[in-house]
Amino acid sequence: MSSAGPRSIDAPPIDAPPVGLAAIERARGALAGRVSATPLVHSPSLTGRLGAPVFLKLDSRQETGSFKLRGATNALLALGDDARRRGVATASTGNHGRALAHAAKALDIRAVVCLSALVPANKVEAVRALGAEVRIVGRSQDDAQVEVDRLVSEEGLTAIPPFDHPDVIAGQGTLGLEVVEELPDLATMLVPLSGGGLAAGVAAAVKGVKPSVRVIGISMARGAAMHASLGAGRPVAVEEVETLADSLGGGIGLANRYTFAMCRALLDDVVLIDEAEIAAGICHAFHAEGEVVEGAGAVGVAAILAGRIAADGPVVALVTGRNIDPERHRAIVAEGGAA
Ligand SMILES: *Cc1c(COP(=O)(O)O)cnc(C)c1O
């Protein structure tokens, strides 16, 4: 837990963010040897386009294929002995579910991942292969969440949410700390933005070390819940639609406790990009940088390519994940490769 403890949205956010640099530094100590410090690589082609140095932080190379291993591992390490014995639960089928399954196995903690009967068999198998117990319940994500709530109230498991949790935010923040320490003249950080755990943690880390760094959240134009919530001044629901950046889908929770307030206080801007721009980002990552990147992981690259970023110094784009269906990836890069 952060030493500041939970705060309401009305609390003064900049003076006392729920997760600060000290909590993120503690998380880094706890995660040492459990998650990889991933490479920060210079991109000559994006540097040429932008007219300022561009670097890519490749957390897509993190084990399980996304940065979510950082927050999930940190949250598990923060559990008390009793909670560890009882185990943890989640309804996530995506990168958080994979990360939690992997982290729990590494720490010898029971993890139950609740999935609806509509989740494709290959996804179910992937979670099982990572060592988690899979429970198939109902026919929707909501049904799966009801089972998580039951495991918590009746069997004493702990639910580990994908973003709105201080230990998860602190774990994600270690990504920002690695970057600002390796690149002290960092001016602008581009962060893929969904529930905002990553953006909140990374912004707290880099601004904690260097307050002048601009932190820009990047979301897909279709169904950007944090962007809509920041505009409304409170958490709002948005319609969920299909997008190439599927890991950025979903709401921020109407009862959001931490990430909305932190994103409101710490983000300098939010940029929205469309589906064609996301596809161009995936293509560029593959053809120019040699990296397989999923849509959500490519939005920073996409924003630079689309001319949406103004730079006054070195820019880092966080490349957050590589979990994309191989057939889909092949189709996207084949189309874009000819151009
Ligand atoms: C979860 C995720 C994000 C967004 O993280 P939030 O903390 O929900 O904002 C970005 N990229 C990838 C690959 C993800 O899995």
Side-chain angles (χ1 to χ4, degrees):
M1 282 291 285
S2 111
S3 54
R7 275 175 201 275
S8 77
I9 287 168
D10 300 331
I14 292 176
D15 297 340
V19 178
L21 185 57
I24 297 164
E25 281 171 340
R26 277 198 302 277
R28 189 186 34 193
L31 295 180
R34 299 185 183 279
V35 307
S36 308
T38 44
L40 181 70
V41 300
H42 180 242
S43 167
S45 65
L46 291 174
T47 296
R49 289 225 186 197
L50 189 64
V54 177
F55 298 83
L56 304 177
K57 174 69 171 173
L58 298 176
D59 228 44
S60 47
R61 301 222 197 136
Q62 194 60 252
E63 206 162 350
T64 73
S66 87
F67 72 91
K68 287 218 171 56
L69 191 61
R70 296 171 183 264
T73 303
N74 195 49
L76 292 182
L77 288 168
L79 293 175
D81 290 344
D82 192 45
R84 276 199 190 208
R85 266 192 302 277
R86 292 166 189 261
V88 296
T90 183
S92 164
T93 63
N95 287 335
H96 174 66
R98 298 169 67 108
L100 191 66
H102 180 89
K105 184 171 179 169
L107 293 168
D108 202 19
I109 295 172
R110 176 187 179 207
V112 181
V113 179
C114 302
L115 307 174
S116 95
L118 299 183
V119 172
N122 61 336
K123 270 200 168 178
V124 177
E125 263 329 296
V127 172
R128 239 184 224 130
L130 288 162
E133 209 174 302
V134 170
R135 200 160 290 190
I136 310 280
V137 261
R139 302 191 58 79
S140 73
Q141 184 70 13
D142 286 348
D143 291 341
Q145 187 58 46
V146 167
E147 176 64 6
V148 170
D149 295 343
R150 194 196 64 77
L151 286 167
V152 169
S153 61
E154 292 179 18
E155 297 185 28
L157 277 73
T158 302
I160 306 289
F163 54 86
D164 199 26
H165 186 295
D167 298 319
V168 173
I169 295 168
Q172 319 306 30
T174 61
L175 191 46
L177 210 50
E178 284 174 21
V179 171
V180 73
E181 287 182 355
E182 193 173 338
L183 189 72
D185 58 348
L186 172 69
T188 304
M189 181 79 109
L190 307 181
V191 189
L193 174 65
S194 176
L198 177 67
V202 165
V206 298
K207 293 193 179 203
V209 172
K210 188 179 179 187
S212 66
V213 176
R214 286 194 315 146
V215 180
I216 301 177
I218 322 273
S219 296
M220 67 294 176
R222 315 174 73 171
M226 183 62 84
H227 178 259
S229 300
L230 292 171
R234 67 190 157 80
V236 295
V238 296
E239 193 194 345
E240 213 175 323
V241 284
E242 230 182 88
T243 164
L244 267 178
D246 54 313
S247 293
L248 299 185
I252 70 164
L254 294 180
N256 187 292
R257 292 183 67 188
Y258 306 103
T259 61
F260 173 72
M262 287 185 73
C263 286
R264 186 165 67 172
L266 298 172
L267 289 185
D268 295 278
D269 198 3
V270 176
V271 167
L272 301 183
I273 58 171
D274 68 27
E275 295 298 300
E277 290 165 345
I278 297 169
I282 293 172
C283 273
H284 178 92
F286 187 72
H287 293 294
E289 318 288 347
E291 296 291 323
V292 172
V293 177
E294 62 175 283
V299 295
V301 170
I304 294 171
L305 291 173
R308 219 62 65 71
I309 303 299
D312 53 357
V315 175
V316 170
L318 297 185
V319 177
T320 47
R322 64 159 184 259
N323 293 319
I324 181 170
D325 175 62
E327 290 301 330
R328 190 165 206 197
H329 186 264
R330 203 168 300 134
I332 291 168
V333 300
E335 226 169 77

